[in-house]
Amino acid sequence: LIDLDRLDPRHQSPANRLGLTARWTYDPEVAVAYIRAAGIKWLRLGIDEHAQAVLDMARENDLKVLAQLGYGPVMDMSPEELAEWYLERSIPLIDRNLEVIAAVQIWNEPFNFPRVDKNGKRMGAWPARYGGRWFGGAYVAPFAEFSEIVAVGLRERFPDLVLVGGTKIPGS
């Protein structure tokens, strides 16, 4: 157990790699107090409709962000269409917040965004659409295609931005 009240950020190394993943929309002011007390330097943020407020809070508190780009309508689009939708949604947000976004994660876990199949079994959106299970299968190729298109689009616009692939992508 860490007593956050006793931590003093003045004693934290400037190279501190301690980060935090949290649900920021519940109480960001309380989260900032804990972040400062613990000497945390970055946070992982799922990009959704509340992201700008949290990115503003990160900017105000000298935090860097690993932006986990949100999920999309896999069931309704081809990998190419989904990649274009994803880029159209992500690029303006990254543009507005480039000084605080240290890295971007393209999707996260394609097998872990729950859908329920016709037999009531929970599975990720990509396996639900293309087939496969958490350890791989038919969804890996379309997911890799989507990820490659997104990576190329982001790299063209932001050549120095660190990109992190989702799982099940060779070399990610």
Side-chain angles (χ1 to χ4, degrees), residues 142-159:
F143 179 71
E145 179 183 358
F146 156 81
S147 298
E148 183 71 22
I149 295 167
V150 171
V152 167
L154 291 174
R155 182 64 62 226
E156 286 174 357
R157 181 68 183 92
F158 309 104

Side-chain angles (χ1 to χ4, degrees), residues 37-93:
I40 291 170
K41 306 288 185 191
W42 65 271
L43 57 97
R44 177 177 174 238
L45 173 64
I47 300 300
D48 63 14
E49 65 275 9
H50 305 287
Q52 191 59 60
V54 179
L55 288 162
D56 291 342
M57 182 239 9
R59 182 181 296 102
E60 293 164 9
N61 289 279
D62 296 320
L63 298 172
K64 292 296 181 187
V65 172
L66 165 59
Q68 177 194 340
L69 300 180
Y71 302 107
V74 174
M75 301 306 279
D76 303 325
M77 298 181 179
S78 70
E80 299 85 4
E81 292 167 330
L82 183 60
E84 289 305 314
W85 176 88
Y86 205 76
L87 288 167
E88 286 174 10
R89 184 172 163 241
S90 303
I91 286 175
L93 186 83

Side-chain angles (χ1 to χ4, degrees), residues 6 33 36 46 52 57 65 73 78 103 106 108 120-121 123 127 141 148 153 162:
R6 297 184 60 198
R36 286 180 169 259
Q52 191 59 60
M57 182 239 9
V65 172
S78 70
I106 301 170
N108 179 29
K121 182 177 176 184
M123 60 174 29
E148 183 71 22
V162 174

